[in-house]
Amino acid sequence: MSRPPVYLKQNVVAEPLHNQWYAWWFLASPMTAPLFVANLHVKIMESFVANPAIHVAALKSPALRGGPYLNCGVERVGEVKALLERTLQEESLAMRYAAAMRELDALLASAEGYSLEELYPRVPDLLRGYVELTYDLRNRASARFFEPLLYRSPFHRESSQSVSLRLVHGDARPYVFSTPRLDDSREGDLQVRLPFRHEAWDTLFAMRRTPAPLEAVRDALGIAPQDGDTFATFFTPEPPRPAPRYDGDGVRVRYFGHACVLIESRHVSVLTDPVVSYDFPTDLPRFTFADLPERIDYVLLTHGHADHLMFEPLLQLRHRIGTVVVPAGGGGALVDPSLKLMLQHAGFRDVVTLSELESLPVPGGELVGLPFLGEHGDLDVRGKLAHLVRLEGKALLMAADSNALEPRLYEHVQPHVGSIDMMWLGMESEGGPLSWMYGPLLPAPLSRKMDQSRRLNGSNAARAIDIVQRLKPRQVRIYAMGREPWLGHVMVMGYHEQSPQLVESRKLLAHCREHGVDADMPYGQAESFLR
């Protein structure tokens, strides 16, 4: 006799992993993943195995929690050593790729402005046919990858992909970018080795709202018999609370935390940079997965940084998303992997690109791509875009971490934008140094002084005020600050009252209010209407 259908619990965490490390932008592209495996993961694990006490001691300092220190006790050194040995064996191609990249960089450094044709036979054999050699107008040589070919090559290792499932009862989660997910099956953690694109994930995550037989999803995911009891704890006969689609006048705007905003009219729903809390009893009000509409017509991604393009919520929402809109970057440069390619190969069927000042019609309005300056350490990253959302005669500018490095940009943009009802802007005025994110891609380390100079900064108060003065929005909302506790696993902000980011934010709020502009910095959740 078959059992009654069940729902996936709202507090089941699903962490996408690459070789047991938390998957993000640079681990999703085969152009960059080998460099992070070889130049970051292996080095962190080697350091921990050699002297775990240094890592344990370092993480007692809050200032070092976002650094390259593995976050587990010395008693787990055997497990880390086993993962290191398995990585060196199973990811041997990544190690060879990293070595070939060092050879290629040395070869390009030898170019002196003469034809590059004679260098092609000297490209490391592993990379031949995957790169084009080019000069810029100052005769500096570089390589451009044919990234679509890499997704069809041995460098794209779907066998390295898995998803870690477990129950959570609070927001506290350890920082994920310096520590692999070890085997915690005794504590209810279950790692399922299926590629991200597999349709069984849609079957599982659809069960958050639509019940299905437990046996069917268990078999689809290939859950081993010995893991059946753990897997069964992830389900409940209790349905989730209803989340009806907005059917009112004008536009409803709901803040889900960080840069995640749900913009709805009765005709269309738009979700920006999904970062969504799980649902469990808490004293901090928030919207969760349970509050999202059954159908999300458009998801807008501003850029690939790990707090904006998060595979964890995206994979869980994939079956509910109509179209994903991404910036049209991806020209084959290491620092700028294609967001469209990585999402397509992660199973998203409808991914479209927007370039600056291009528009995409939607029911009752349009989506317009706008330039996005800054926050990328002066690297030539094209895969970044602010979004102007026009719905029901209202306009919202989702500017993410834009930094007005050249304020006159907004003077040129304003005539094409027109009246803005609500502007959302990040104020991370003091971001991490360039090497914090891009270090494993660099052929040689930057000097400390240079690295500290090229920080991943958003706007400070002066630059944000300049944007407000030039675009004249009726309302201003500060977001993308990493303040919510459910961001702790990807952002280590450690804010206090005198943190530069909060000081600068308060200056912007004060300026706006002094000049009659409705301004706020929402926290946790917020809701407003444009009518």
Side-chain angles (χ1 to χ4, degrees):
M1 184 174 181
S2 62
R3 300 178 185 178
V6 291
Y7 296 89
L8 181 67
K9 291 179 179 178
Q10 298 296 320
N11 62 330
V12 174
V13 166
E15 291 184 346
L17 305 177
H18 178 93
N19 194 39
Q20 294 186 218
W21 291 74
Y22 193 81
W24 66 302
W25 185 27
F26 285 132
L27 286 183
S29 170
M31 183 171 65
T32 53
L35 296 175
F36 272 76
V37 171
N39 297 338
L40 183 64
H41 299 168
V42 165
K43 290 183 177 180
I44 290 177
M45 290 190 288
E46 286 177 337
S47 173
F48 183 83
V49 169
N51 196 333
I54 289 179
H55 290 247
V56 173
L59 290 175
K60 291 179 180 178
S61 169
L64 298 178
R65 287 179 187 164
Y69 300 101
L70 201 149
N71 184 16
C72 66
V74 295
E75 74 279 0
R76 309 200 73 169
V77 67
E79 295 174 74
V80 176
K81 183 178 180 182
L83 177 58
L84 171 61
E85 292 172 349
R86 189 166 74 249
T87 299
L88 292 174
Q89 179 181 356
E90 296 180 358
E91 302 285 344
S92 60
L93 184 62
M95 308 304 291
R96 293 167 53 208
Y97 181 98
M101 287 296 297
R102 289 191 292 271
E103 292 179 35
L104 179 61
D105 182 68
L107 177 66
L108 293 171
S110 70
E112 297 179 336
Y114 298 99
S115 172
L116 293 170
E117 184 176 348
E118 65 177 24
L119 296 189
Y120 278 91
R122 297 166 56 191
V123 170
D125 187 68
L126 194 69
L127 301 178
R128 288 189 65 181
Y130 291 114
V131 296
E132 177 185 16
L133 308 183
T134 66
Y135 281 122
D136 66 15
L137 294 179
R138 291 184 177 271
N139 294 324
R140 293 170 296 200
S142 63
R144 181 182 78 87
F145 281 82
F146 300 114
E147 195 178 0
L149 283 178
L150 292 178
Y151 277 98
R152 292 164 174 81
S153 78
F155 300 117
H156 183 47
R157 287 180 49 80
E158 287 190 331
S159 60
S160 297
Q161 297 177 356
S162 64
V163 174
S164 172
L165 303 172
R166 69 184 185 281
L167 292 167
V168 293
H169 304 283
D171 289 312
R173 292 166 64 184
Y175 184 67
V176 293
F177 295 119
S178 59
T179 304
R181 174 63 61 192
L182 300 176
D183 180 11
D184 289 321
S185 56
R186 288 169 295 182
E187 299 179 9
D189 180 276
L190 190 60
Q191 291 190 28
V192 182
R193 292 191 171 276
L194 282 181
F196 302 153
R197 63 173 174 81
H198 203 288
E199 293 182 355
W201 295 120
D202 294 333
T203 302
L204 173 68
F205 297 129
M207 292 173 69
R208 286 206 193 273
R209 301 210 64 84
T210 304
L214 175 62
E215 296 79 8
V217 69
R218 182 191 63 201
D219 294 344
L221 291 171
I223 303 299
Q226 64 269 25
D227 294 324
D229 290 344
T230 298
F231 187 66
T233 65
F234 301 152
F235 298 89
T236 176
E238 298 298 322
R241 63 178 180 274
R245 186 165 181 144
Y246 179 66
D247 194 34
D249 294 332
V251 178
R252 183 174 72 178
V253 184
R254 283 186 162 183
Y255 173 72
F256 275 67
H258 196 55
C260 184
V261 180
L262 177 65
I263 305 166
E264 297 175 284
S265 72
R266 61 163 47 103
H267 304 296
V268 70
S269 58
V270 177
L271 187 67
T272 70
D273 291 345
V275 179
V276 187
S277 171
Y278 294 96
D279 200 334
F280 44 76
T282 175
D283 293 331
L284 176 59
R286 82 276 304 271
F287 294 122
T288 73
F289 281 102
D291 296 295
L292 289 168
E294 183 61 34
R295 176 73 171 178
I296 302 168
D297 297 306
Y298 296 90
V299 164
L300 310 184
L301 298 177
T302 55
H303 58 302
H305 289 174
D307 56 321
H308 293 263
L309 191 165
M310 288 189 67
F311 282 96
E312 181 177 337
L314 283 171
L315 288 180
Q316 296 180 60
L317 296 173
R318 184 174 63 193
H319 67 285
R320 298 162 69 173
I321 295 172
T323 300
V324 184
V325 182
V326 300
L334 273 179
V335 296
D336 195 18
S338 167
L339 305 186
K340 181 177 181 178
L341 280 173
M342 69 176 60
L343 288 169
Q344 287 177 329
H345 285 270
F348 291 84
R349 294 178 177 83
D350 189 2
V351 185
V352 302
T353 59
L354 270 186
S355 294
E356 294 152 357
L357 298 186
E358 283 188 339
S359 64
L360 177 69
V362 301
E366 64 176 345
L367 308 173
V368 183
L370 295 180
F372 177 166
L373 269 180
E375 224 248 342
H376 289 73
D378 300 321
L379 294 171
D380 186 15
V381 175
R382 312 291 178 87
K384 56 182 182 179
L385 201 66
H387 295 102
L388 182 68
V389 181
R390 288 192 174 116
L391 287 181
E392 306 301 319
K394 303 298 181 181
L396 298 92
L397 174 57
M398 316 308 294
D401 302 317
S402 295
N403 187 351
L405 301 175
E406 174 46 84
R408 290 191 65 183
L409 166 69
Y410 298 95
E411 180 180 316
H412 300 315
V413 164
Q414 199 282 327
H416 304 283
V417 170
S419 176
I420 296 175
D421 295 282
M422 181 179 282
M423 182 177 79
W424 293 76
L425 180 66
M427 291 285 290
E428 192 178 344
S429 58
E430 188 175 297
L434 180 142
S435 64
W436 180 81
M437 181 172 296
Y438 297 96
L441 305 179
L442 300 176
L446 294 176
S447 69
R448 177 173 174 77
K449 187 174 182 180
M450 188 181 296
D451 195 26
Q452 293 296 320
S453 167
R454 294 173 63 184
R455 285 184 167 271
L456 310 176
N457 291 345
S459 284
N460 59 19
R463 289 176 174 168
I465 289 169
D466 200 300
I467 297 175
V468 171
Q469 290 175 334
R470 292 173 191 268
L471 296 185
K472 298 179 175 57
R474 294 186 176 90
Q475 299 183 42
V476 170
R477 297 291 181 268
I478 298 172
Y479 78 149
M481 298 291 285
R483 299 167 66 220
E484 283 77 22
W486 54 91
L487 268 293
H489 64 300
V490 295
M491 300 184 76
V492 185
M493 301 307 295
Y495 286 137
H496 53 80
E497 278 303 301
Q498 295 308 310
S499 294
Q501 299 92 333
L502 298 185
V503 171
E504 295 298 303
S505 295
R506 290 194 291 267
K507 290 178 183 177
L508 173 61
L509 293 175
H511 170 87
C512 290
R513 291 163 182 167
E514 288 170 7
H515 291 81
V517 178
D518 180 0
D520 197 8
M521 181 167 58
Y523 176 68
Q525 74 173 44
E527 180 178 80
S528 57
F529 297 87
L530 299 175
R531 290 172 173 148

